[in-house]
Amino acid sequence: GDSVTQMEGPVTLSEEAFLTINCTYTATGYPSLFWYVQYPGEGLQLLLKATKADDKGSNKGFEATYRKETTSFHLEKGSVQVSDSAVYFCALSDFGNTDKLIFGTGTRLQVFP
Amino acid sequence: DVKVTQSSRYLVKRTGEKVFLECVQDMDHENMFWYRQDPGLGLRLIYFSYDVKMKEKGDIPEGYSVSREKKERFSLILESASTNQTSMYLCASRPTTGSHHEQYFGPGTRLTVT
């Protein structure tokens, strides 16, 4: 079945460092891909998405490109801030009748001043 | 602004109790979902609903049931709570089917069963 694999955390960075969180997927068909973020004590909120191959999603300085050839959707940010500390989830939308979201296990990011 | 609310942020129940978790969305979305979130396991889908009175099992429905009597409200029921149901429960909603649509999440209910 469809699945999402993302790098384990925690990822610990200093402020202004470059961030990459790896995400790869397995899917039949052509899923949409998402990054969600969960700040401490809150629910998940959409960070960015891409709905077809070679699309780049971007928001708040974060970017991810839908790479069909490598089945990847890596999250990047050029300069992280302390306020980016959160858990990041990669997800794909199951193509078919249900359109369920299938999540990775989440990656905790900790940014220190 | 899109809004999904959950009845409680924190809940403590005893083993064997019947537990109701309520979720309300104000976006007129057809689809609603219940997930549980556990460390190292990510989010796992318990049940979802396409429409009023419709429900479908997700990946881990055992020990749970749901109710959707009104479009805006989706309830998760633990018929007889057990300690292995201690978890964070997240409700979400989404417009009609279409894989490009995002899901909108509530703040979560952290349930502890003792």
Side-chain angles (χ1 to χ4, degrees):
Chain A
D2 295 356
S3 66
V4 174
T5 302
Q6 58 181 111
M7 59 189 291
E8 290 197 21
V11 173
T12 304
L13 295 172
S14 298
E15 209 164 23
E16 299 183 5
F18 185 84
L19 168 71
T20 300
I21 300 178
N22 291 336
C23 172
T24 57
Y25 67 91
T26 303
T28 54
Y30 304 97
S32 294
L33 301 174
F34 304 83
W35 276 101
Y36 281 82
V37 59
Q38 184 178 36
Y39 297 104
E42 297 183 14
L44 275 69
Q45 55 185 276
L46 181 69
L47 180 60
L48 52 85
K49 69 179 182 182
T51 58
K52 60 183 188 298
D54 300 324
D55 265 4
K56 177 186 281 189
S58 61
N59 186 26
K60 299 182 182 179
F62 290 89
E63 292 183 341
T65 301
Y66 189 164
R67 302 279 188 207
K68 187 167 178 289
E69 64 277 12
T70 55
T71 61
S72 65
F73 192 54
H74 305 320
L75 183 68
E76 296 182 336
K77 187 175 185 182
S79 176
V80 293
Q81 306 300 312
V82 172
S83 57
D84 293 327
S85 298
V87 181
Y88 292 82
F89 291 92
C90 185
L92 69 82
S93 187
D94 180 17
F95 185 78
N97 291 335
T98 61
D99 290 327
K100 295 185 294 183
L101 274 181
I102 296 169
F103 287 87
T105 54
T107 302
R108 180 175 298 279
L109 170 64
Q110 296 174 322
V111 181
F112 293 96
Chain B
D1 235 7
V2 161
K3 197 139 188 166
V4 179
T5 56
Q6 296 183 228
S7 50
S8 307
R9 294 299 299 271
Y10 301 93
L11 211 52
V12 180
K13 295 292 182 181
R14 294 195 180 275
T15 301
E17 277 194 79
K18 191 168 186 175
V19 181
F20 292 86
L21 303 182
E22 305 285 341
C23 175
V24 177
Q25 51 97 0
D26 65 358
M27 298 161 285
D28 203 36
H29 287 169
E30 277 80 14
N31 301 327
M32 296 187 74
F33 305 82
W34 275 107
Y35 296 88
R36 61 177 284 175
Q37 180 182 6
D38 300 289
L41 297 176
L43 275 73
R44 294 179 291 167
L45 182 64
I46 305 171
Y47 266 97
F48 59 103
S49 169
Y50 286 127
D51 203 347
V52 176
K53 298 196 186 295
M54 305 285 288
K55 59 185 179 184
E56 296 283 344
K57 292 180 180 179
D59 299 316
I60 52 164
E62 297 77 19
Y64 303 93
S65 62
V66 290
S67 172
R68 186 138 181 233
E69 296 296 319
K70 293 185 178 181
K71 190 175 187 180
E72 68 270 18
R73 188 179 297 269
F74 192 35
S75 303
L76 180 69
I77 303 155
L78 287 65
E79 296 288 344
S80 177
S82 64
T83 55
N84 62 12
Q85 293 177 310
T86 291
S87 187
M88 169 73 90
Y89 290 87
L90 292 166
C91 175
S93 73
R94 192 189 65 200
T96 191
T97 54
S99 62
H100 56 286
H101 288 303
E102 67 180 277
Q103 290 185 15
Y104 296 86
F105 283 82
T109 296
R110 186 167 293 282
L111 172 67
T112 302
V113 182
T114 62

